[in-house]
Amino acid sequence: MTATSDIDKAIALAMVPGVIITSFGDMLRVPGSRASLQQARAAGADVRIVYSTLDALTIAQENPAKTVVFIGVGFETTAPLSPPPCCRPKTKNKNYSVLVPAQALPPVIKTILDAGEVKLNGLICPGHVSAVTGSNAWEFVARDYGIPCVVAGLNPPISCSAWICW
């Protein structure tokens, strides 16, 4: 659920001469308001698929005269992958940046529920997100909407007996 405006920003950066955009492959086809990163690449922008931020850092090291931007989109579980690896000691790349239009999942769920178009008997909340946010992030579902929910998918990060919200 990346905002169209965030994709538009990435495309605008991609069209700047001397900029290399790096991103995970699944982002290339996500549409902006007028195009996608894949279409920007077809139009001549230097857009490259990477498998980690370290790949993007390598591209920056190999292209010191260009600016390399890693597009780090995602939710709670992928946002920690986005900080620049150039912050590590012994690597000081001034030509490496990160655009992080990360989202938090609970507000997205709240927006969907507020729309009133979805009728649910219950909600299975994602364990991988809850491992980052904690299970309390989902209490609003039961409290505000009267929808029972449970966190499933991963063990809680701490000993917790209240992973079911009523």
Side-chain angles (χ1 to χ4, degrees):
M1 244 181 129
T2 302
T4 302
S5 61
D6 291 329
I7 300 300
D8 290 343
K9 289 173 191 171
I11 293 168
L13 283 171
M15 301 311 291
V16 174
V19 173
I20 300 171
I21 296 295
T22 59
S23 179
F24 298 132
D26 59 348
M27 284 307 302
L28 268 62
R29 292 183 183 217
V30 176
S33 61
R34 291 186 208 100
S36 66
L37 283 169
Q38 183 174 5
Q39 291 167 318
R41 182 165 70 175
D46 194 348
V47 179
R48 303 183 192 185
I49 295 172
V50 295
Y51 298 97
S52 76
T53 54
L54 293 176
D55 293 343
L57 179 59
T58 298
I59 292 169
Q61 290 168 336
E62 293 171 351
N63 296 277
K66 295 191 176 188
T67 299
V68 176
V69 180
F70 175 75
I71 308 299
V73 300
F75 288 97
E76 292 90 338
T77 55
T78 54
L81 298 174
S82 298
C86 57
C87 294
R88 295 179 182 184
K90 300 182 184 177
T91 59
K92 297 178 183 174
N93 288 73
K94 295 183 179 183
N95 67 326
Y96 181 79
S97 299
V98 179
L99 176 63
V100 187
Q103 305 287 326
L105 191 53
V108 172
I109 297 299
K110 182 180 182 331
T111 299
I112 291 169
L113 294 173
D114 283 346
E117 297 176 12
V118 178
K119 304 295 182 214
L120 300 174
N121 293 324
L123 184 64
I124 300 173
C125 304
H128 65 295
V129 170
S130 302
V132 176
T133 64
S135 62
N136 293 347
W138 303 105
E139 287 181 354
F140 76 93
V141 175
R143 182 187 65 239
D144 300 343
Y145 300 93
I147 300 171
C149 60
V150 63
V151 173
L154 290 176
N155 291 331
I158 57 172
S159 184
C160 176
S161 60
W163 276 63
I164 297 177
C165 305
W166 299 104

